[in-house]
Amino acid sequence: MLYGAVVAGSFRRYATYRVATAAGVVTNTAFGFVIAYTYLALWSQRPHLGGYDRAQALTFVWAGQALFALIAYGGLDELQDRIRSGDVAVDLYRPADLQLWWLATELGRAGLQLIGRGVVPMAVGALAFPLSLPGSPLTWGWFLLSVTLGVVVSFALRYLVALASFWLLDSSGLAMVSTLACMFFSGLVLPLRVFPGALADLAQLLPWAALLQVPADVLMGARTGGALLRGLAFQAAWAAALLALGRLVQSAATRKVVVQGG
C-alpha cells in the first residue's frame, strides 16, 4: 500500500511538467529522424549489419528514442542532492526502506514517461518508416515486462552512483562517467550486436544491455522462445544482483551520516 502510493504520487508529480514533457517528445522525435536516416545510410552499405534487416534497424532507433526518458540515462540527481545537503537523514527516519522508496518513485516516473514521451515518438516513427513491430498482444506484453526490468536495472545502477555521494564531496563526475557508459553499452549509440568481435560479446553481458538492447530485441522479434526467456532472466538476474549490492552499500553508508559543511 505504501509503495503503491509512492508510485502513484510520483506519477502525478511528473505529470504536472506538461511543457517539459512536450519539449521532450519533440526532441526525441527530431533525434529519431536524424538517427533513422543515419542508420538508413549505414544499412544501405551493410544490409544485414548485426543480423538486423533495415526495418529492424529502424525499429531499434525508435525504440531507443521512445525509451530514452523512461530508462533515464542520467543520475538520481534529487537523491544525490539530498545526501549532499544532509536531508537524507529525514528520509532515513521515515517508516519506509530508503531503496524501495526511491525505486517506487522511479517506477512512477517511468510510467509517466512511457505514456508521455514513449508513445508519440514510436507512433511517428511507425508512420514515417517501415518498422518491424509485433502484431501479437503477447509480444507487446513481453516487451513491457522487459522494459520494466530494464527500468529496475537502470535504477539500481544509478542508485549505486547516488550512494557514492556519502563518501564523495561531489559525485557529479562519477554520474557523468556512469551516464556515458550507460549510453554506449546500452545500445543507444549503436546496437550492441554491431560492435566488433569480443567487444560485442562482452557488451551483451554487461548490465547496461538490459536497458535497451534486450527490450528492443524483444519488440522487433529478434528474441523469441528460449532466447526471449534467457533475455528476461538476464535482466532479472542483473536487477536482483544490483539491488542486493545497493542494499549492502546503503547499509555501509547509513551507519554514520555526516552532513557536508556541518
Side-chain angles (χ1 to χ4, degrees):
M1 292 288 291
L2 170 62
Y3 298 111
V6 175
V7 171
S10 178
F11 184 96
R12 290 193 300 269
R13 172 190 173 190
Y14 283 94
T16 61
Y17 301 111
R18 297 182 180 89
V19 175
T21 300
V25 169
V26 173
T27 301
N28 289 135
T29 304
F31 271 100
F33 277 99
V34 172
I35 300 172
Y37 283 112
T38 303
Y39 273 41
L40 283 174
L42 182 58
W43 259 259
S44 67
Q45 301 298 317
R46 301 280 298 277
H48 297 286
L49 184 62
Y52 298 134
D53 59 28
R54 188 173 300 183
Q56 289 176 317
L58 290 171
T59 304
F60 198 100
V61 171
W62 290 102
Q65 294 307 306
L67 299 180
F68 184 86
L70 180 70
I71 293 171
Y73 288 90
L76 283 172
D77 296 336
E78 185 177 357
L79 177 57
Q80 289 176 237
D81 291 341
R82 293 185 68 82
I83 293 173
R84 186 163 49 247
S85 67
D87 290 339
V88 70
V90 177
D91 300 336
L92 295 173
Y93 273 111
R94 289 193 183 114
D97 180 78
L98 183 68
Q99 186 186 53
L100 292 179
W101 178 280
W102 284 97
L103 174 57
T105 300
E106 279 295 291
L107 290 175
R109 180 201 59 78
L112 184 279
Q113 298 296 354
L114 176 62
I115 299 171
R117 291 180 60 177
V119 174
V120 174
M122 180 63 75
V124 172
L127 291 172
F129 300 95
L131 303 187
S132 180
L133 296 176
S136 169
L138 182 60
T139 304
W140 282 105
W142 287 121
F143 170 66
L144 291 176
L145 174 59
S146 182
V147 168
T148 302
L149 290 171
V151 170
V152 176
V153 173
S154 172
F155 162 77
L157 287 167
R158 291 180 294 122
Y159 188 71
L160 287 169
V161 174
L163 290 180
S165 299
F166 278 103
W167 292 278
L168 301 176
L169 290 176
D170 186 359
S171 61
S172 59
L174 180 61
M176 184 177 296
V177 172
S178 175
T179 299
L180 292 174
C182 180
M183 295 177 69
F184 184 77
F185 287 110
S186 68
L188 184 65
V189 178
L190 275 176
L192 301 183
R193 295 186 181 191
V194 175
F195 287 9
L199 180 59
D201 296 333
L202 174 63
Q204 292 182 77
L205 294 176
L206 298 176
W208 295 286
L211 276 56
L212 174 58
Q213 182 68 52
V214 175
D217 280 345
V218 172
L219 176 65
M220 69 180 71
R223 282 183 178 271
T224 58
L228 169 62
L229 295 179
R230 287 192 296 272
L232 296 174
F234 168 81
Q235 291 180 289
W238 270 118
L242 291 169
L243 288 174
L245 178 59
R247 184 157 297 279
L248 290 175
V249 175
Q250 173 185 309
S251 177
T254 55
R255 286 176 189 154
K256 181 179 180 181
V257 179
V258 178
V259 179
Q260 293 184 20

